[in-house]
Amino acid sequence: MEDAVDSVSIENAKKDKSAFSLLFQQYYTFLYRYLFKLTMNKEMTEDLLQETMIRAYINLPKFRYQSKFSTWLISIATRLFLDEQRKRKRDIKRHEQLTENEKRKMKWELAQENLDWSLHLELFSTLSTKTRTLILLRHYYGYSIEEIAAMAKLKKGTVKSRIHYAQKKLREEWRDEA
Amino acid sequence: MKHDDVIKEMNETWSEMDRKVPIDIPDAEEIIHQLNCGEKRYQESLRKELFGFILLACVLLSLYIVAVVHIMWAFYVMQFTSAAAVLILLLVERRKRRVM
């Protein structure tokens, strides 16, 4: 994907909104899928995606090709998602794991898209928001620990240990369920 | 990166989700419209932030003047506090990449 988008289109997008919209369209599906996996909610995904787009446009002049453009975009989306969760948590003073109500909503959302709420999703939903994000970035998207640490603004050691303990927890619960 | 069974199966679930979730990509015009609205919102929030900062600076300055006029040692304390505040502010702004 990255090869298709050269620095010329990024440089054009820095100066022109139409060029930016064309560039962003190429990454729309990629970001939508990522955010949907995290939120499992269509509305929230679309809101976060819109906010990601605006942040990306405003901060694009600062993009210095130190990472892939997709990595840069996913970092913005990740930070926005984590900030949003932090705000929500502060508002309703709930604990880190998903509430039954939220799970029900997720299941309903997935059913709308003809997707099943599998045992894996059930296990995944027992993890905290931050840990779910880390596991997804590490194991599904294959980002390195360093990249994830930069994205989530955490120390490398913290990322490593959180992923390790989450995997351990998933493995144990998987064994119990199986 | 080693993948155990749980992760493998979870990845399969994600792949299936990727295939099934329908995505409507907005057209260029809609994106531009969203960008214009977003930009306005962003500028508004920056303005609010700046207004808050100016207000805080005014309050602190008033306190500063009142203190240094009435208490001798307060002058030195306030000098030190001001220097520290400027330094902290610069570090914060540098972190936000607004200054070099």
Side-chain angles (χ1 to χ4, degrees):
Chain A
M1 181 174 185
E2 205 67 25
D3 299 334
V5 181
D6 50 32
S7 54
V8 178
S9 7
I10 296 173
E11 285 307 311
N12 287 338
K14 285 183 183 178
K15 298 170 212 145
D16 177 35
K17 271 186 194 152
S18 323
F20 178 83
S21 64
L22 292 175
L23 177 68
F24 195 78
Q25 274 178 329
Q26 294 178 53
Y27 288 92
Y28 193 89
T29 311
F30 169 71
L31 284 173
Y32 190 101
R33 285 173 173 164
Y34 170 64
L35 286 168
F36 190 80
K37 281 188 213 92
L38 286 179
T39 62
M40 292 191 205
N41 178 311
K42 208 175 166 187
E43 264 174 44
M44 211 172 149
T45 300
E46 281 168 6
D47 287 349
L48 282 169
L49 198 50
Q50 195 179 335
E51 206 50 45
T52 305
M53 179 180 76
I54 293 160
R55 292 280 175 97
Y57 177 71
I58 290 166
N59 291 304
L60 193 60
K62 292 178 201 160
F63 179 67
R64 298 276 179 260
Y65 305 94
Q66 283 161 343
S67 64
K68 284 181 179 177
F69 189 61
S70 58
T71 309
W72 185 70
L73 285 176
I74 222 171
S75 305
I76 297 175
T78 304
R79 275 179 218 152
L80 280 171
F81 169 71
L82 293 175
D83 285 348
E84 183 66 32
Q85 293 300 310
R86 217 172 289 139
K87 270 186 226 159
R88 278 178 150 215
K89 209 164 59 185
R90 220 182 295 144
D91 290 346
I92 38 180
K93 287 187 178 173
R94 59 181 191 166
H95 50 84
E96 278 242 298
Q97 291 180 356
L98 292 170
T99 60
E100 281 307 312
N101 217 11
E102 281 175 311
K103 266 192 212 170
R104 255 200 304 276
K105 201 175 174 202
M106 279 184 179
K107 284 177 193 174
W108 185 83
E109 286 274 350
L110 289 180
Q112 294 299 300
E113 312 294 348
N114 290 326
L115 284 158
D116 296 324
W117 181 263
S118 64
L119 174 63
H120 311 103
L121 291 180
E122 179 68 42
L123 292 178
F124 192 64
S125 69
T126 60
L127 302 173
S128 72
T129 313
K130 216 163 211 171
T131 314
R132 288 207 308 271
T133 313
L134 303 181
I135 287 274
L136 193 64
L137 287 169
R138 178 73 179 141
H139 292 293
Y140 190 69
Y141 288 95
Y143 286 110
S144 68
I145 298 286
E146 288 80 6
E147 283 172 319
I148 300 170
M151 282 179 196
K153 287 188 177 171
L154 289 171
K155 284 180 186 160
K156 272 196 280 178
T158 314
V159 174
K160 243 186 209 174
S161 67
R162 283 199 188 182
I163 291 177
H164 173 76
Y165 285 113
Q167 264 176 270
K168 202 175 154 193
K169 189 184 171 193
L170 286 174
R171 232 175 274 139
E172 279 168 8
E173 291 194 15
W174 168 258
R175 216 175 295 135
D176 290 346
E177 294 285 340
Chain B
M1 191 174 25
K2 265 199 306 187
H3 278 174
D4 54 31
D5 287 347
V6 193
I7 300 293
K8 262 185 203 163
E9 298 218 17
M10 207 167 265
N11 283 351
E12 279 169 23
T13 310
W14 297 136
S15 303
E16 197 197 342
M17 196 179 269
D18 279 352
R19 278 195 305 273
K20 284 189 179 175
V21 172
I23 302 167
D24 297 320
I25 301 174
D27 53 33
E29 262 179 51
E30 202 184 321
I31 291 182
I32 293 171
H33 173 70
Q34 287 176 1
L35 283 177
N36 289 335
C37 298
E39 245 184 327
K40 267 185 208 162
R41 243 189 305 136
Y42 181 73
Q43 276 163 2
E44 192 59 40
S45 71
L46 279 187
R47 216 170 293 139
K48 271 187 194 164
E49 207 177 296
L50 184 68
F51 179 72
F53 178 71
I54 291 172
L55 197 74
L56 182 72
C58 288
V59 171
L60 288 177
L61 193 69
S62 319
L63 283 175
Y64 179 91
I65 292 166
V66 169
V68 293
V69 165
H70 292 95
I71 318 162
M72 248 332 263
W73 56 262
F75 175 76
Y76 300 104
V77 174
M78 288 296 181
Q79 285 286 22
F80 176 75
T81 315
S82 310
V86 168
L87 190 72
I88 291 168
L89 193 72
L90 272 175
L91 288 173
V92 169
E93 291 298 303
R94 197 178 164 201
R95 211 174 154 205
K96 288 183 184 171
R97 292 180 185 173
R98 284 189 194 150
V99 290
M100 292 298 280

